[in-house]
Amino acid sequence: ARHTTGTRRFDRPTVHPSIASMSMPSALAPAPASLAVRPRANTAGRPSIRGSQPSTSSVRRPPSRCSLTPLRAIATDAKEAEVDANDETPAEVLEVPEWHSRALVRDGRVFSETFPVRFDEVGPDKSATMRTVASMIQECACNHAQGIWGRAQSMPADMLKDNLVWVCTRLHLQIDSYPRWGDQVQVNTWFEAQGRLAARRDWSLYYEDCRPSAVKDAEPECEIKPVGRATSVWVAFNLAKRRMARIPQAVVDLFQNQQLCDEPVMGPDYAVVKLPETGPDAHVAAFQVRRRDMDMNGHVNNV
């Protein structure tokens, strides 16, 4: 922020978006530098808060214990900071993790989104939980729908006018390894129509596992690892009649241009695995539904 007479100006960072080229099955490839933040040089006639300012108090303050060295954030793959010609004090470099956020790849048929594993999404061992992964695939699918059908739209207009909604009838989530706090997870999702009765949506998940090198001052050792994969079946549901319905032909025709065909994430020989029957010794736990468990559809959320 720089002070001007009667106003306050905020210099915002410049973000350079970039999209990594991917192929299916996709690997998490670090995107090119996408973030460069640095203070601007002083402008004539505009006092800067970075310089020495006259004291507003007559009280004598002790010397500050805090560092007054300017900080400059740069992308992690750039090792040198840009320096303004008017900057008198060299800046200390901060390494900021960067990732591509959202992209339509494979000719727009696959939606890819990268999620950081946040502090409240891991357990005592710092590993993500099943709920974290389930939340990621749900969010990725919803954002894919918005990218195709419009903001805040989870289905085509031809379904809305017929009072139809999507209902998930089956979800199979397979986990190979859980990412840890601070990792970045790339989630890819795509769908394929299965006639006028159902549609299949798949996900693949990867993360870049980086650990400190055993060699002193060496770069971290990184490896692309699969988090897992998921597949689901969706049917059209008539809200007024409270029963399943056929997917409108206009929607099926639309799917022909948007779907990724013949690439089931579980493989071509995948067979549906039924949940095992619960025996007499099964543990039953009651779940008290609270208001915070409800989503925008008035249901306990899938996650």
Side-chain angles (χ1 to χ4, degrees):
R2 294 195 179 95
H3 182 270
T4 59
T5 305
T7 63
R8 179 169 294 178
R9 170 183 169 183
F10 294 89
D11 290 330
R12 298 183 179 180
T14 302
V15 178
H16 305 282
S18 60
I19 298 175
S21 174
M22 291 170 285
S23 59
M24 298 299 299
S26 173
L28 177 56
S34 59
L35 179 65
V37 183
R38 59 184 178 86
R40 298 182 182 177
N42 294 347
T43 304
R46 185 185 300 121
S48 169
I49 62 171
R50 293 175 58 202
S52 58
Q53 296 292 316
S55 174
T56 56
S57 171
S58 59
V59 178
R60 192 175 197 72
R61 292 185 175 86
S64 174
R65 294 175 298 164
C66 299
S67 170
L68 300 180
T69 302
L71 302 179
R72 176 175 290 115
I74 62 170
T76 53
D77 61 346
K79 298 303 180 184
E80 295 182 1
E82 297 180 48
V83 179
D84 280 331
N86 296 332
D87 282 348
E88 298 178 357
T89 307
E92 179 181 343
V93 173
L94 300 179
E95 291 195 351
V96 180
E98 96 260 7
W99 54 83
H100 80 276
S101 180
R102 297 170 181 169
L104 281 166
V105 297
R106 298 291 300 276
D107 297 323
R109 301 178 188 276
V110 176
F111 182 80
S112 178
E113 184 165 6
T114 304
F115 298 88
V117 179
R118 299 178 296 186
F119 180 82
D120 66 330
E121 295 175 329
V122 299
D125 61 351
K126 296 186 179 180
S127 294
T129 63
M130 175 64 79
R131 187 196 186 284
T132 301
V133 179
S135 179
M136 287 178 179
I137 66 172
Q138 176 177 259
E139 185 68 15
C140 187
C142 291
N143 291 335
H144 186 200
Q146 291 189 90
I148 296 174
W149 299 314
R151 183 176 181 182
Q153 299 299 319
S154 58
M155 62 205 67
D158 288 298
M159 290 185 64
L160 288 174
K161 71 180 183 181
D162 292 337
N163 209 21
L164 300 178
V165 297
W166 290 115
V167 173
C168 181
T169 61
R170 182 180 296 117
L171 172 65
H172 184 185
L173 178 57
Q174 222 174 45
I175 301 297
D176 297 325
S177 60
Y178 284 101
R180 295 171 62 82
W181 176 45
D183 287 337
Q184 299 162 22
V185 180
Q186 178 181 297
V187 183
N188 306 308
T189 186
W190 62 99
F191 61 84
E192 181 178 357
Q194 298 181 326
R196 293 190 59 188
L197 296 179
R200 188 193 76 247
R201 176 176 285 279
D202 289 344
W203 296 264
S204 64
L205 303 92
Y206 300 86
Y207 75 104
E208 189 176 32
D209 184 24
C210 292
R211 296 295 177 260
S213 174
V215 181
K216 185 178 179 181
D217 298 330
E219 293 290 333
E221 298 175 353
C222 298
E223 179 185 2
I224 303 300
K225 290 186 177 180
V227 174
R229 63 210 57 82
T231 188
S232 59
V233 176
W234 297 75
V235 299
F237 187 80
N238 190 306
L239 287 175
K241 298 179 180 179
R242 308 302 298 174
R243 64 187 184 190
M244 291 193 297
R246 288 184 176 273
I247 302 173
Q249 186 61 46
V251 176
V252 176
D253 295 339
L254 186 65
F255 280 0
Q256 303 304 317
N257 292 327
Q258 298 170 336
Q259 64 185 353
L260 184 68
C261 293
D262 304 324
E263 292 198 27
V265 74
M266 296 294 188
D269 300 326
Y270 171 73
V272 175
V273 179
K274 291 187 177 181
L275 294 176
E277 295 293 335
T278 56
D281 298 331
H283 173 70
V284 179
F287 179 78
Q288 182 66 39
V289 177
R290 300 157 297 184
R291 179 178 177 83
R292 67 183 183 185
D293 299 317
M294 309 293 282
D295 62 17
M296 67 176 73
N297 295 321
H299 303 149
V300 174
N301 188 262
N302 292 333
V303 170

